[in-house]
Amino acid sequence: MSLALAIAIAALGTLAIGSSSYAAEADRAESDAVVAEAEKLVMQAGQADPVNTNLIHQAMDKLHLALKIDPHNDAAYVDLGFCYGVLRDGATAIDMYRTATELNPSGSNFIELADIYMRVGDSEDALLAANAGLVKDPSNARLYNAKGMALNDLQRFDEAEEAWEKALRLNPNLKVAQANLDALNGGPNGRGSISKHPAQAPPQSSPMQ
């Protein structure tokens, strides 16, 4: 093979890689736009009392469309997890959040996974999720708050206290961790009197955050 031909082949390969990368970015942008539309529907659904489940289903349809455009969009899986949670399908919600962490093992995704485990009463797996997130993001105060909540449910109160104190060292303005710590040490019923789960909120508003 001549040097000129080798250079030409290499250039074509670089061009193909660049084109593929551009296409992937375009797909993600399009997918994210559909996710944003779905989140607007979820917000509208949450403004109704009771929650408008028809709008939730419409949002889910859009999220599935977003995943057809980009199957690796972890944000779509997070929002699907939230929607399934609203519909009280805990098992499927867990699957959605778990898939999100597999696609993108970010601290925020592990917080969501820990939260859904807490909501279904699985404190052991909530603790595992929080610890897994801390491996990836060891300075995430909200993950320490999630860890403290799981430990509190497991009646490991001293460890819960340590986790919340760590959260506050990392972020002194994390009010939820301070509230949990205050409730642990000074609640009306003593240790363990934590109010963990406020009313279901739209995406990006997890009670652990």
Side-chain angles (χ1 to χ4, degrees), residues 73-112:
N73 191 335
D74 59 297
Y77 279 106
V78 167
D79 287 351
L80 275 172
F82 179 86
C83 289
Y84 279 111
V86 171
L87 298 176
R88 302 188 183 280
D89 184 349
T92 307
I94 288 170
D95 287 342
M96 297 297 103
Y97 285 121
R98 188 185 294 125
T99 300
T101 63
E102 291 169 355
L103 290 170
N104 179 14
S106 65
S108 60
N109 282 350
F110 274 109
I111 289 169
E112 299 287 358

Side-chain angles (χ1 to χ4, degrees), residues 14-47:
T14 301
L15 179 61
I17 293 171
S19 298
S20 176
S21 176
Y22 177 80
E25 291 176 3
D27 286 347
R28 182 55 184 257
E30 183 182 356
S31 181
D32 283 342
V34 178
V35 169
E37 294 175 3
E39 289 181 350
K40 290 179 181 178
L41 290 171
V42 172
M43 292 291 290
Q44 293 173 20
Q47 291 169 359

Side-chain angles (χ1 to χ4, degrees), residues 21 23 26 41 52 96 107 117 121 136 156 169 190 202:
S21 176
L41 290 171
N52 187 328
M96 297 297 103
Y117 277 130
K136 298 291 184 179
R156 293 161 60 176
R169 285 197 296 272

Side-chain angles (χ1 to χ4, degrees), residues 107-115 140 142-143 206 208-209:
S108 60
N109 282 350
F110 274 109
I111 289 169
E112 299 287 358
L113 181 59
D115 184 31
N140 192 313
R142 293 185 297 127
L143 277 168
S206 166
M208 290 191 174
Q209 300 176 30

Side-chain angles (χ1 to χ4, degrees), residues 10 24 28 150 162 180 190:
R28 182 55 184 257
E162 290 176 7
N180 286 335

